[in-house]
Amino acid sequence: MRHVFFFFITILFCTQLTAQKADEFANLKRYATDNESLLSSGKKVDVVFIGNSITEAWVKHDAAFFSSNNYVGRGISGQTSSQMLLRFQQDVVALKPKVVVINAGTNDIALNAGNYDQHFTFNNIKSMAAIAKSNGIIVILTSVLPAGSFPWRPEVKNASAQVDELNGLVKKYAIEKGFSYIDYNLLMRNEKGGMKTVLADDGIHPNKEGYKIMEEVALKAISKNLKKK
């Protein structure tokens, strides 16, 4: 009996430790207070944008775009698709938006969480879309933005080609499932597949002009989808 007791204690400890690591990995604390405040206020949001630093900085660059349209941003700098998937229930589903805009993949390709496997990343994006759809949330998928290289990860080669391959998978999936697909990449890329220099100071993160382009196409896609509700 003593062995059985210690076995279950060990399992419980390992489970708690795994949960703790998952919590830290996904950074669930980042928006926990904001989510709680939003839910307690009784306010309903129309759209949640989930993503990485590109989404997080978007809110900082143009907070009025989000507040005036009843959108909220749930981007976390440096995050990969697996981290977004772990926090999708808390940062998207729990808020009960009408629409979710999913932007993921940049940091996967940049090796932020280890070796890159496009099918693993693609499956994470599909999983987020499936979770949203099962909860009655309209899905809008977006392209990974253009990237000729990653300043913080110079060892990544053929970045633009890898971005294009992932975008091809996501676009095809969106068409098959009847989801809207926002092609930021097509509008913002240069002749080599990287970001136009006038749209991003570091080649990755949009500046004010870059976000203006994103806002225009996002508004059109969202407005079209909100009419379905």
Side-chain angles (χ1 to χ4, degrees):
M1 289 297 293
R2 178 180 296 181
H3 293 296
V4 173
F5 173 76
F6 281 112
F7 171 76
F8 281 109
I9 289 296
T10 301
I11 292 296
L12 178 61
F13 174 76
C14 290
T15 301
Q16 291 175 333
L17 184 60
T18 301
Q20 182 180 21
K21 288 182 177 179
D23 174 52
E24 293 172 352
F25 177 68
N27 196 0
L28 297 181
K29 295 179 181 178
R30 173 65 177 82
Y31 290 107
T33 300
D34 291 340
N35 291 341
E36 184 179 349
S37 297
L38 188 60
L39 291 171
S40 62
S41 72
K43 180 181 178 181
K44 303 293 184 181
V45 297
D46 285 332
V47 184
V48 174
F49 287 68
I50 187 167
N52 48 47
S53 58
I54 292 169
T55 300
E56 185 174 22
W58 193 348
V59 179
K60 296 176 181 177
H61 271 76
D62 194 357
F65 171 72
F66 288 83
S67 61
S68 64
N69 289 296
N70 198 27
Y71 305 161
V72 296
R74 290 296 181 263
I76 297 181
S77 179
Q79 284 209 337
T80 61
S81 60
S82 54
Q83 291 167 300
M84 294 178 208
L85 177 57
L86 281 173
R87 63 185 177 87
F88 197 83
Q89 287 284 350
Q90 174 182 299
D91 288 348
V92 179
V93 177
L95 302 182
K96 299 181 180 179
K98 297 175 182 177
V99 176
V100 61
V101 179
I102 302 171
N103 180 259
T106 296
N107 291 318
D108 297 59
I109 298 171
L111 310 180
N112 279 26
N115 293 334
Y116 171 60
D117 181 328
Q118 68 172 357
H119 296 293
F120 175 75
T121 298
F122 180 45
N123 284 334
N124 288 336
I125 294 172
K126 289 197 296 182
S127 294
M128 286 188 275
I131 292 170
K133 184 177 180 180
S134 69
N135 282 277
I137 302 169
I138 294 173
V139 177
I140 296 179
L141 299 177
T142 74
S143 68
V144 175
L145 272 63
S149 61
F150 301 104
W152 67 96
R153 199 76 67 181
E155 64 268 31
V156 176
K157 307 300 180 184
N158 301 318
S160 61
Q162 294 187 73
V163 168
D164 289 346
E165 287 178 6
L166 178 59
N167 284 342
L169 292 174
V170 175
K171 182 176 181 179
K172 181 180 179 182
Y173 173 72
I175 293 172
E176 290 174 351
K177 294 296 182 179
F179 301 146
S180 289
Y181 175 76
I182 302 176
D183 199 341
Y184 299 131
N185 191 291
L186 181 63
L187 299 171
M188 302 174 76
R189 66 189 287 144
N190 59 29
E191 66 280 0
K192 294 182 179 180
M195 183 82 76
K196 292 179 180 178
T197 56
V198 296
L199 301 180
D201 300 331
D202 64 356
I204 298 294
H205 300 91
N207 54 26
K208 186 176 181 180
E209 294 305 313
Y211 282 123
K212 281 183 179 179
I213 291 175
M214 294 172 67
E215 289 174 4
E216 184 176 348
V217 292
L219 274 170
K220 289 180 180 179
I222 292 168
S223 296
K224 178 182 177 181
N225 280 279
L226 284 176
K227 291 178 181 178
K228 299 177 183 178
K229 282 289 187 176

